[in-house]
Amino acid sequence: MVRLTRIYTKTGDKGTTALGDGRRVSKDAPRIEAFGSVDELNAVLGLAILSLADAEAADLLRTIQNDLFDLGADLCVPERSRSGRAARARPPLRITENHVRPLEQAIDRFNAALDPLTSFVLPGGTTASAWLHLARTVCRRAERRAVALGRKETINQKSVIYLNRLSDLLFVMARRANDGGRADILWVPGGAATTKP
């Protein structure tokens, strides 16, 4: 279990932070951008949970919030780290198929009950749906940051797969929060311009 006794340490006052293996890097390094986006996603999910009346969906999102801490821990410790604390401590947390599979099962289960899509969906409808759409877009950004990091350094590819599946799940959950898709706001190509004489 993690124990935090001090909240501020002053070690980051010069714009650097420590990775899970003890190495210090700039706070705008690609690895920090990646797991920082995962942290932001987790915060948006907290807001989505507060707006949900759907207990099953809220419970699933709480599990996902825990998974996102695992994902942040995965990205925080470089794959080939052999030095520092990581070498002395237990093996680092890594995202596995056991994290991904429940997302796929939830997508299939929730999507089966939705009205079929006839157009792209605009974010909105209910408050819960809007928060879930926001979470989806932050998830996509986290995925882009992880992909960008993976071009520069070796990362666990399951972390990218997890984020990809999660964004799909959040889309399905946003539709579920819109009365099973019946209250979705659909994109009309050209918008109001198509109705003008």
Side-chain angles (χ1 to χ4, degrees):
M1 184 58 68
V2 175
R3 182 173 179 175
L4 302 174
T5 55
R6 291 187 64 189
I7 301 305
Y8 68 91
T9 63
K10 301 185 181 180
T11 58
D13 288 353
K14 294 184 179 178
T16 66
T17 191
L19 296 178
D21 63 0
R23 271 191 304 136
R24 295 199 70 80
V25 296
S26 172
K27 288 187 177 184
D28 65 354
R31 188 171 292 278
I32 306 304
E33 286 287 344
F35 67 77
S37 295
V38 170
D39 187 32
E40 184 181 351
L41 168 60
N42 211 334
V44 177
L45 289 183
L47 289 165
I49 290 166
L50 290 175
S51 67
L52 276 167
D54 180 343
E56 181 185 7
D59 286 345
L60 176 58
L61 289 180
R62 286 186 195 95
T63 298
I64 288 167
Q65 283 189 301
N66 198 81
D67 287 350
L68 289 175
F69 258 81
D70 291 351
L71 176 55
D74 186 328
L75 292 170
C76 185
V77 179
E79 280 278 301
R80 295 184 179 165
S81 180
R82 298 272 190 267
S83 63
R85 287 176 289 186
R88 294 189 300 270
R90 61 183 169 199
L93 273 171
R94 297 295 180 208
I95 294 297
T96 69
E97 184 62 27
N98 291 333
H99 291 89
V100 174
R101 193 178 307 109
L103 301 183
E104 294 174 341
Q105 292 167 346
I107 291 168
D108 292 341
R109 186 172 70 255
F110 290 168
N111 195 51
L114 297 177
D115 275 8
L117 272 174
T118 57
S119 180
F120 289 102
V121 175
L122 300 179
T126 64
T127 301
S129 181
W131 279 120
L132 288 162
H133 276 296
L134 179 60
R136 173 185 57 79
T137 64
V138 175
C139 187
R140 285 292 188 199
R141 176 156 39 86
E143 181 185 5
R144 292 192 301 272
R145 296 290 190 266
V147 168
L149 174 62
R151 281 201 306 269
K152 297 179 184 218
E153 301 181 43
T154 302
I155 65 168
N156 174 12
Q157 286 303 309
K158 287 289 184 189
S159 63
V160 175
I161 293 169
Y162 182 91
L163 289 167
N164 191 22
R165 292 301 180 282
L166 179 54
S167 64
D168 292 338
L169 174 60
L170 292 170
F171 175 76
V172 169
M173 292 179 80
R175 296 198 66 223
R176 175 182 164 108
N178 270 344
D179 192 22
R182 288 177 287 280
D184 281 340
I185 301 170
L186 300 181
W187 173 51
V188 178
T194 61
T195 61
K196 291 181 180 176

